[in-house]
Amino acid sequence: MSNSENKLPSIISHCKEYGFIFQSSEIYDGLSAVYDYGQWGVELKKNIKDAWWRSMVYMHENIVGIDSAIFMHPTIWKASGHVDNFSDPMIDNKDSKKRYRVDHLIEQFAEQLSITNPDEANAMLSLMENLLSKDDFTGLKNLIEKYKITCNISNTCNWTDVRQFNLMFETKLGSLAEESDTIYLRPETAQGIFVNFLNVQKTGRMKIPFGIAQIGKAFRNEIVARGFIFRMREFEQMEMQFFVRPGTQKEWYEYWKNARIKWHYELGIPPAQYRFHDHQKLAHYADAACDIEYNFPMGFKEVEGIHSRTNFDLTQHQTFSKKKQFYFDNDIDPATNKPYGNYIPYVIETSIGLDRAILMTLSEAYTEEDLSTPEKQDSRAVLKFPAKIAPIKLAILPLMKKDGLAELAKELMNDCKPHFLCYYEEKDSIGKRYRRMDALGTPFCVTIDHQTKEDNTVTIRYRDSMEQERIPMSEVKEKVLNALN
Ligand code: GAP
């Protein structure tokens, strides 16, 4: 199947059928844009987290990890700008009551228009960009009305005014519902790193440049949540803030662009599936920013952001908390022959959505293969994950339960399971069991048969080529471990 739009529904149903991802609260008809990871999804997720953590924290002596709380002091979100600016302009159709993100509504219309009149579509999009940066959104509504953009449910052009809609979820701390008790579910993990910058620097005796990494949940009340786990209301981020000396941020930005794209290639995904998208319109606190885009079934879209955030966040936290966020740099500045002294560090951020990384690896791995022969129609759905992220590494399949084959299989299982996740299965025909393991993305299957009893060899079957070979049972563990490394 090509990497096209209709691959997504197949991936969604595959994820449900094989225990990767379920709609949240499904028996109560589901909760929109919220998902649960099932028994194999959680393993895939853990393996991607481990790959990220290993590459960021274990492979960089100057990066350490933290795990900060989801609830934080509400002033943090005032300081970071989220209370005032973390919002999308929205518009409601008065007839259908459906709410749209204004930029999505206009972009969708422009996409259609570009088929017949690409120049006008482009002009419309640049006008939209311009109008989005204004405080007054009347121009945006006028644009929608001028082009008679309609709601795709009511087909009418009967719109409310454009309003800002903050994406943060609010809740109350304690039992008294007073305004001052309002706190937020964090919309990014980054601020938990910023407010711990000095705690980690001092207790870890960290010297600039150094980084702090974190993996954790984030929450955004996305109005238009779509694309399965691409845009969710509760999701996970893997973020790293790298603190650098002012003036060196450009070279570190380039370093992290390189390091991060290499990490993506190491997932076994070909470079042609990625592209960088440099931000033209920078956020007020950034001096450079880009996205790493992956070619999802719905086209190239952001999977990770790399941002040069200047010293904006630490400076804001210094102002709002009234606690100095200085670092004393005793390295000698060759220009003055004196230590660099006190400063608020600049920051390069790398921020990848874990769930988007999961959708990316699923999209890359999901393959439908026609295995028909002139005699028989046949096909298989297979997840061609690289071994290191595959949920199950090895399936151990005794040809039958009796004749001591199950005992031999259990022996191999006990030898391997301290090292990686194995799966034991004695039900169904061997062909059916192989297909099931293909669908779960298991790179190796081992069959124990009567010959195993005689010469201690097993049949190992490789998921992608479906080739089989006879090897000593004693070599199985090593073979899988080699593939993992
Ligand atoms: N701290 C910077 C930050 O949060 P962002 O571009 O808003 O930047 C970073 O988010 C990454 O988080 C994105 O590249 C994306 O992978 C992921 N992400 C953002 N919103 C998401 C959502 N609603 N659902 C799933 N992933 C999301």
Side-chain angles (χ1 to χ4, degrees), residues 165-183:
F165 188 91
N166 196 292
L167 300 185
M168 284 198 294
F169 284 102
E170 286 179 10
T171 187
K172 299 279 176 196
L173 195 67
S175 56
L176 282 180
E178 285 166 19
E179 221 214 304
S180 57
D181 303 323
T182 298
I183 57 167

Side-chain angles (χ1 to χ4, degrees), residues 130-314:
N130 187 294
L131 293 169
L132 279 169
S133 63
K134 301 229 173 332
D135 289 336
D136 178 1
F137 289 140
T138 320
L140 279 170
K141 188 174 179 194
N142 292 345
L143 186 69
I144 289 169
E145 287 176 341
K146 176 179 159 205
Y147 282 92
K148 300 198 170 44
I149 301 178
T150 54
C151 160
N152 50 24
I153 294 177
S154 66
N155 283 322
T156 67
C157 188
N158 189 11
W159 298 107
T160 61
D161 286 341
V162 176
R163 284 165 302 170
Q164 284 285 21
F165 188 91
N166 196 292
L167 300 185
M168 284 198 294
F169 284 102
E170 286 179 10
T171 187
K172 299 279 176 196
L173 195 67
S175 56
L176 282 180
E178 285 166 19
E179 221 214 304
S180 57
D181 303 323
T182 298
I183 57 167
Y184 303 97
L185 298 188
R186 67 178 176 198
E188 61 169 18
T189 60
Q191 297 305 324
I193 295 179
F194 287 124
V195 297
N196 279 296
F197 156 69
L198 279 182
N199 282 338
V200 174
Q201 190 273 318
K202 292 208 165 104
T203 57
R205 295 144 62 104
M206 309 297 288
K207 253 180 91 64
I208 268 182
F210 74 91
I212 304 178
Q214 160 153 249
I215 301 178
K217 289 267 184 175
F219 304 83
R220 295 182 190 179
N221 198 1
E222 302 279 2
I223 295 309
V224 189
R226 58 182 169 192
F228 189 35
I229 53 170
F230 182 83
R231 196 178 300 285
M232 302 156 83
R233 297 201 165 103
E234 173 179 343
F235 57 100
E236 241 172 298
Q237 289 185 317
M238 306 194 284
E239 297 200 296
M240 193 276 305
Q241 312 295 322
F242 198 70
F243 301 92
V244 304
R245 187 180 294 149
T248 63
Q249 69 271 22
K250 277 208 163 48
E251 66 201 70
W252 283 113
Y253 176 67
E254 290 305 322
Y255 171 90
W256 282 110
K257 272 176 80 171
N258 256 319
R260 291 306 304 148
I261 196 74
K262 268 201 202 129
W263 180 85
H264 284 266
Y265 298 160
E266 281 163 15
L267 292 175
I269 300 178
Q273 289 287 73
Y274 290 103
R275 69 182 188 197
F276 278 107
H277 170 249
D278 291 319
H279 290 200
Q280 302 306 333
K281 215 179 89 193
L282 291 171
H284 57 285
Y285 52 78
D287 65 7
C290 67
D291 299 332
I292 296 178
E293 294 186 340
Y294 167 74
N295 189 14
F296 284 99
M298 53 284 189
F300 276 97
K301 298 224 176 286
E302 172 185 352
V303 62
E304 171 158 8
I306 299 162
H307 313 124
S308 177
R309 295 181 72 125
T310 68
N311 58 3
F312 172 82
D313 301 85
L314 289 178

Side-chain angles (χ1 to χ4, degrees), residues 417-435:
K417 73 183 180 191
H419 304 278
F420 44 80
L421 185 62
C422 305
Y423 187 81
Y424 177 87
E425 173 83 85
E426 54 188 30
K427 284 195 291 282
D428 291 331
S429 73
I430 200 73
K432 269 196 186 154
R433 282 185 265 172
Y434 283 157
R435 286 299 151 79

Side-chain angles (χ1 to χ4, degrees), residues 52 54 82 125 164 179 194 214 341 395 397 407 470:
W52 185 84
R54 215 172 299 123
H82 284 82
L125 287 175
Q164 284 285 21
E179 221 214 304
F194 287 124
Q214 160 153 249
L397 316 170
E407 283 71 22
R470 200 88 207 168

